Amino acid sequence: MHRASDRLAATSVPIHPDIAARWSPRAFDPNAALPHEDLAALLEAARWAATWGGRQPVRFIVGVRGDETFVTLAGLLRRGNSYARAASALILLCADAGPDERTALYSTVDAGSAMANLSVEAVSRGLIVHPMAGFDVPGTVEAFGLPETLRPLMVIAVGTLGDYAAAGPDIAERDGRPRARLPLDEVVLNWPV
């Protein structure tokens, strides 16, 4: 149950296999170690994401299970995201909003690109990731002494797929639901002939 091969996206045409296999499971193996090389590769993939005007506003705070940063990030997660405490690493993704509304807008676009690259790199390495918006943002700013322009946007749990029998029935049920997206003709507003 819940292997990558049985969770592939149903697409109208073939897409890159790692994109089709990307999903956001909640069952992490609490004993799996994350090799430093894999963690560095995820961050490199995120670093090389598209960036508006070459601005590069995305910043990360990285905690590996057992270190002080991980414990702090885990403590800032909302109750519904407590499953992420079993992950091998927690990554806080922030974006430097910059001096005006325009740079603030594009910094969040860059953050989305970074998250997408990180996710696909994780799949290519046999890892799973789950991005979460459910965390204490003001607490994060205070805990890490973030400057006013650096906006915490998400915490990303990284690790290896765990055993759903140990994850709890609510997580197994949610993750077992069929993957679904709106069809192309509902999201492409001017479908070309």
Side-chain angles (χ1 to χ4, degrees), residues 151-173:
R151 295 180 50 209
L153 298 174
M154 67 186 84
V155 175
I156 306 161
V158 179
T160 303
L161 189 61
D163 180 1
Y164 275 91
D170 57 328
I171 297 219
E173 188 276 324

Side-chain angles (χ1 to χ4, degrees), residues 29-130:
D29 181 343
N31 300 310
L34 180 61
H36 178 77
E37 181 179 314
D38 286 344
L39 181 56
L42 299 185
L43 296 166
E44 280 289 0
R47 181 172 77 101
W48 283 98
T51 182
W52 174 70
R55 200 167 155 268
Q56 302 176 50
V58 179
R59 301 291 182 270
F60 304 96
I61 293 177
V62 181
V64 176
R65 187 188 311 115
D67 74 14
E68 184 177 334
T69 301
F70 185 97
V71 171
T72 300
L73 286 170
L76 293 163
L77 295 174
R78 299 284 184 224
R79 188 171 49 115
N81 291 327
S82 61
Y83 61 85
R85 292 185 174 105
S88 300
L90 293 174
I91 301 171
L92 175 66
L93 188 153
C94 303
D96 181 345
D100 57 45
E101 191 175 305
R102 189 172 177 202
T103 58
L105 171 66
Y106 285 107
S107 72
T108 58
V109 172
D110 286 3
S113 281
M115 177 63 229
N117 275 19
L118 186 151
S119 295
V120 173
E121 183 65 28
V123 170
S124 78
R125 292 172 174 272
L127 299 170
I128 62 170
V129 297
H130 193 105

